[in-house]
Amino acid sequence: MAVRTETASLRRPSPALRWVRENLFNNWYNSVLTVIFGALFIWVGFSLLRWVFFRAEWEIVRVNLTLFMVGRFPRDELARIWVSNYMIVGAIGLMAGAATASAAAAAKEAGLPFVQSKLQDLIQRFWPVLLLVAALLQFSRTWTPTIMTVGMVVIGVAARFAGLHLPRVIRRYAWVLVALLLIGAYGALVWFGGFGWDDWGGLHLTLFVTVAGIILAFPLGLLFALGRRSTLPLVRLLSVTYIEFIRGVPLITLLLMGAFALKFLLPPGMDLSLVSRLVVAIMLFTAAYVAENVRGGLQAVPKGQTEAGQALGLPAWKVMRLIVLPQALRAVIPAMVGQFISLFKDTSLLVVVGVFELLAVSSIANNQPEFLGKGLAEVTLPFVAVIYWVGAYTMSRESRRLEKKLGVGER
Amino acid sequence: MTQNNVYSDATQARGDVIIEVQGVDKFFGDFQALKNINLNVGKQEVIVVMGPSGSGKSTLIRCINRLEKHDAGRIVVDGVELSDDIRNIQEIRRETGMVFQQFNLFPHLTVLDNITLAPRQVRNMPKNEAEEMAMLQLERVKIPEQAHKYPGQLSGGQQQRVAIARSLAMQPKVMLFDEPTSALDPEMIKEVLDAMQELAESGMTMIVVTHEMGFARAVANRVLFMADGEVVEVGTPQHIFENPDEDRTKLFLSQIL
């Protein structure tokens, strides 16, 4: 019997070949379409590869790599950025290690199996980022960035190891350590005669504005979402007014107001830097959309959930925090991450008010005397676009992973 | 004991009164859902509430733990009168467990966390103690092996038993059941009714909105028949099921049998 199935499978075409026959060549017009689109696909792919590897003049990126990465950050102080990056990587490693250790301990206590994620999973999750980093290092004309990046990997791995093996008592307070590291990462840039936001630039500034925008907009949006459902009419009115006002104004208007009008609204003597005013504008803008997303989530949680919490004697705020909000936020992960991806891409609008973020650098590079009028936007813009794409795509994939992990859609 | 005696006994609570409902009215807009309801429930008494849909059964028990606010009359649970004071409401809710038709388990928490949530958050019970107690409650409803699953992984009958365990974990003095078996497949009704019967035999005071006649006959001290927001009649199960005084009761029983 076993022998017969073996010979049968030998005679049958391989599964791949069968898939091709059933899906691409199952009748005459499908075969024609397959041939036409196949040829088109090959031609586009070939042209693209030829352009990337032979035609494109990457010199402009090579010369300006530091400008793309950090803008006008003083060149003899770049060590600050590396120190800052080390601390961020350390914080991420520590957090990942401690979280894994806690999850493993919880699973053990519950008598459930726990599968630790492998290096392979990490590569699968972050391959666009890894490819981008490799490409960037390839553009560098010195070995310093490569050595520093290897150092970052080493520190990240070491921190993760430390997080995994922290004594249980300390592990509970690992977040304090993480917070200190992140504060340190910020401090390394600005303390001890460092440089404020207005001196930052390039990809570094783009990422910072994105993260700051998300961290500030999320809690504010949450507050407005709860405010919109409040039983107090005044709170409700304020929330609705805010949300509807912000949603009725284009982001670019808010950014221009942040750049040129906010100054006159602030009390005299209080002087916010340009970038911080713009971060405020982005925060205010995103918070309104977050609020609407969260409101949708809150409405999706059945009334019975609240009633069950109330019937158990939980006070209203605990019913909200422990029962309704977790379910509501889980339900709106896709919408929320979509909003944050928008925020990430919208940071490129800062170019219109003269901030040196990633997109601004590409036009600056094109206006340098040695590259002026050579039509090299066809190199710099795709370069910048790929960086945005890597960021947005990674956020999108991580959100899908989070959804799966939290079991969205399963009740 | 004469027949007459049984009847008059059955209209009144025996022993210490734990729930007092006096002259309660409830309106939803213009619609009057409860009309001058009077009911005293004694300690360890089991009361089954029956009646056609829209008769106010659920509204009545939802008023007792203030999921609905009554518009007139007074409700006293274990010596605490329900008022607008949130502390009174919390105190009554702590002493009153409720089981819902749709279970209303928290889908984002494991069975164990569903049960320990309120004892830990409301009674400040330490985690270990709460979990031990939760396991006891799960054994009581005969599903300790499901402790680490999520509600979505359980059958309806199992979910409803978890919901009962969750309420019991707060060690309530009174349990309210709002049609606990109406959303269940027929083969799962018995396991839930069995758990409820055991609970009644352990001396729990219970008000149960249900149409399960078998359960009412076996467990109820009194049956309350409601229609159009009014209590039509109250009596022992035998009296209500075999020899009801009111035509509306007879009509209803003939329809559900």
Side-chain angles (χ1 to χ4, degrees):
Chain A
M1 184 67 190
V3 175
R4 194 181 291 171
T5 40
E6 226 165 67
T7 50
S9 71
L10 272 180
R11 237 177 283 131
R12 224 177 285 142
S14 74
L17 212 64
R18 240 179 69 196
W19 184 89
V20 167
R21 189 176 293 166
E22 280 169 13
N23 291 284
L24 300 178
F25 294 100
N26 53 345
N27 54 41
W28 71 266
Y29 54 87
N30 241 348
S31 306
V32 170
L33 287 177
T34 300
V35 169
I36 293 174
F37 280 97
L40 203 67
F41 186 75
I42 290 169
W43 181 73
V44 168
F46 173 74
S47 314
L48 198 67
L49 289 175
R50 191 178 53 177
W51 182 80
V52 169
F53 288 105
F54 300 107
R55 297 262 168 103
E57 292 171 41
W58 293 110
E59 192 57 21
I60 186 170
V61 173
R62 265 189 208 109
V63 170
N64 290 301
L65 190 62
T66 319
L67 198 63
F68 274 109
M69 293 300 105
V70 299
R72 290 183 306 185
F73 203 90
R75 293 295 181 267
D76 44 355
E77 301 266 358
L78 286 181
R80 286 175 180 276
I81 290 186
W82 287 113
V83 170
S84 167
N85 287 351
Y86 280 173
M87 287 177 146
I88 291 170
V89 169
I92 292 172
L94 196 68
M95 200 161 59
T100 307
S102 301
K108 196 177 164 197
E109 201 179 318
L112 298 172
F114 179 75
V115 190
Q116 203 174 334
S117 57
K118 296 187 233 54
L119 182 65
Q120 197 189 332
D121 303 334
L122 221 57
I123 293 174
Q124 224 168 41
R125 271 168 70 187
F126 294 110
W127 66 263
V129 178
L130 298 177
L131 267 184
L132 177 67
V133 169
L136 292 175
L137 292 177
Q138 181 277 131
F139 281 131
S140 170
R141 288 177 301 183
T142 64
W143 284 101
T144 325
T146 311
I147 295 165
M148 290 298 188
T149 305
V150 171
M152 275 168 67
V153 172
V154 171
I155 286 190
V157 171
R160 182 171 178 278
F161 183 83
L164 268 176
H165 295 90
L166 279 178
R168 204 192 168 119
V169 195
I170 302 180
R171 198 172 68 215
R172 293 181 61 185
Y173 299 100
W175 63 269
V176 178
L177 224 61
V178 170
L180 284 177
L181 276 170
L182 291 177
I183 293 170
Y186 179 75
L189 298 170
V190 297
W191 294 338
F192 311 115
F195 306 92
W197 300 357
D198 283 358
D199 292 322
W200 300 8
L203 177 61
H204 186 241
L205 181 67
T206 293
L207 292 178
F208 173 76
V209 171
T210 304
V211 172
I214 291 172
I215 290 175
L216 294 170
F218 178 69
L220 189 68
L222 202 60
L223 278 182
F224 280 117
L226 296 177
R228 191 160 190 172
R229 285 175 47 112
S230 167
T231 47
L232 303 170
L234 186 66
V235 175
R236 205 164 52 230
L237 182 72
L238 280 176
S239 302
V240 173
T241 310
Y242 174 82
I243 292 168
E244 295 307 334
F245 170 74
I246 293 285
R247 293 208 309 163
V249 179
L251 174 58
I252 190 93
T253 315
L254 287 176
L255 289 176
L256 289 169
M257 277 167 70
F260 304 119
L262 197 61
K263 223 187 271 181
F264 306 107
L265 297 177
L266 289 174
M270 187 178 166
D271 199 17
L272 289 175
S273 71
L274 173 64
V275 173
S276 55
R277 275 177 278 146
L278 296 173
V279 167
V280 168
I282 289 178
M283 167 188 84
L284 295 177
F285 179 78
T286 305
Y289 289 86
V290 168
E292 283 300 273
N293 288 341
V294 173
R295 184 171 71 107
L298 290 173
Q299 280 167 351
V301 177
K303 199 160 167 269
Q305 292 288 312
T306 309
E307 288 181 352
Q310 287 173 338
L312 286 166
L314 290 163
W317 67 275
K318 279 192 176 175
V319 172
M320 180 52 77
R321 186 171 71 81
L322 299 167
I323 297 169
V324 179
L325 259 190
Q327 296 183 53
L329 292 182
R330 220 171 269 203
V332 297
I333 290 170
M336 199 99 81
V337 174
Q339 195 58 50
F340 293 152
I341 288 174
S342 285
L343 189 161
F344 173 55
K345 293 183 297 181
D346 286 349
T347 59
S348 59
L349 290 173
L350 296 192
V351 70
V352 292
V353 286
V355 172
F356 272 77
E357 50 66 63
L358 188 56
L359 186 63
V361 172
S362 79
S363 66
I364 291 166
N366 278 307
N367 286 326
Q368 287 163 342
E370 46 179 320
F371 300 116
L372 191 63
K374 290 193 176 166
L376 287 178
E378 67 166 44
V379 177
T380 54
L381 286 179
F383 173 70
V384 167
V386 165
I387 295 180
Y388 280 116
W389 176 80
V390 167
Y393 184 60
T394 304
M395 282 162 88
S396 158
R397 278 170 61 113
E398 285 300 291
S399 113
R400 240 175 299 161
R401 184 170 167 274
L402 192 66
E403 273 173 58
K404 246 193 207 154
K405 208 168 146 189
L406 295 176
V408 175
E410 296 162 33
R411 278 189 60 92
Chain B
M1 221 190 278
T2 65
Q3 186 69 33
N4 194 26
N5 240 341
V6 170
Y7 177 71
S8 61
D9 267 351
T11 55
Q12 288 301 316
R14 286 164 301 183
D16 301 336
V17 172
I18 191 164
I19 300 175
E20 264 181 271
V21 178
Q22 285 176 359
V24 164
D25 290 338
K26 167 73 189 168
F27 291 88
F28 291 112
D30 289 335
F31 175 73
Q32 187 165 8
L34 295 177
K35 296 171 189 162
N36 190 28
I37 303 288
N38 292 290
L39 171 70
N40 284 347
V41 182
K43 274 188 182 152
Q44 306 205 339
E45 211 179 358
V46 176
I47 297 202
V48 164
V49 184
M50 289 191 170
S53 70
S55 60
K57 306 164 301 216
S58 293
T59 307
L60 171 61
I61 66 168
R62 285 164 63 85
C63 280
I64 292 173
N65 68 351
R66 198 37 98 91
L67 289 183
E68 304 289 353
K69 187 178 177 224
H70 58 281
D71 297 308
R74 57 198 290 266
I75 297 175
V76 182
V77 180
D78 197 28
V80 180
E81 181 170 352
L82 263 180
S83 64
D84 285 334
D85 187 344
I86 190 72
R87 276 166 304 179
N88 275 1
I89 297 173
Q90 297 288 13
E91 197 175 334
I92 287 173
R93 283 176 178 168
R94 279 199 297 270
E95 306 298 338
T96 312
M98 186 171 221
V99 175
F100 298 85
Q101 183 177 353
Q102 301 294 343
F103 330 136
N104 294 352
L105 292 178
F106 308 131
H108 61 302
L109 300 177
T110 61
V111 165
L112 198 63
D113 290 340
N114 260 279
I115 300 173
T116 57
L117 182 74
R120 289 182 63 192
Q121 296 291 334
V122 179
R123 299 223 192 270
N124 294 319
M125 199 183 271
K127 188 173 183 231
N128 293 344
E129 202 181 309
E131 287 185 351
E132 254 170 57
M133 190 265 312
M135 289 311 295
L136 282 180
Q137 301 301 348
L138 280 176
E139 272 157 33
R140 211 165 156 183
V141 294
K142 303 195 173 62
I143 38 173
E145 71 282 0
Q146 313 288 359
H148 296 291
K149 289 194 183 162
Y150 284 87
Q153 297 168 301
L154 305 183
S155 74
Q158 289 171 329
Q159 289 193 48
Q160 194 59 299
R161 285 186 283 159
V162 171
I164 294 172
R166 178 175 71 177
S167 288
L168 291 179
M170 283 296 282
Q171 276 143 4
K173 293 183 176 145
V174 179
M175 286 283 284
L176 308 172
F177 292 84
D178 190 1
E179 305 206 27
T181 56
S182 301
L184 293 176
D185 290 335
E187 73 271 21
M188 292 169 185
I189 291 176
K190 187 174 177 300
E191 63 190 53
V192 172
L193 291 179
D194 285 349
M196 289 166 61
Q197 184 161 356
E198 270 172 44
L199 186 61
E201 281 159 7
S202 76
M204 177 64 75
T205 310
M206 294 163 57
I207 303 183
V208 185
V209 174
T210 184
H211 293 156
E212 295 293 334
M213 303 259 290
F215 175 81
R217 273 180 202 279
V219 181
N221 301 99
R222 285 188 286 161
V223 173
L224 195 78
F225 179 72
M226 289 181 73
D228 300 327
E230 291 173 306
V231 176
V232 175
E233 75 184 294
V234 188
T236 60
Q238 294 93 316
H239 176 80
I240 297 286
F241 295 147
E242 278 151 28
N243 194 21
D245 297 329
E246 301 288 330
D247 289 339
R248 276 197 284 186
T249 316
K250 285 175 197 162
L251 179 67
F252 175 74
L253 289 172
S254 73
Q255 281 165 345
I256 67 165
L257 281 177

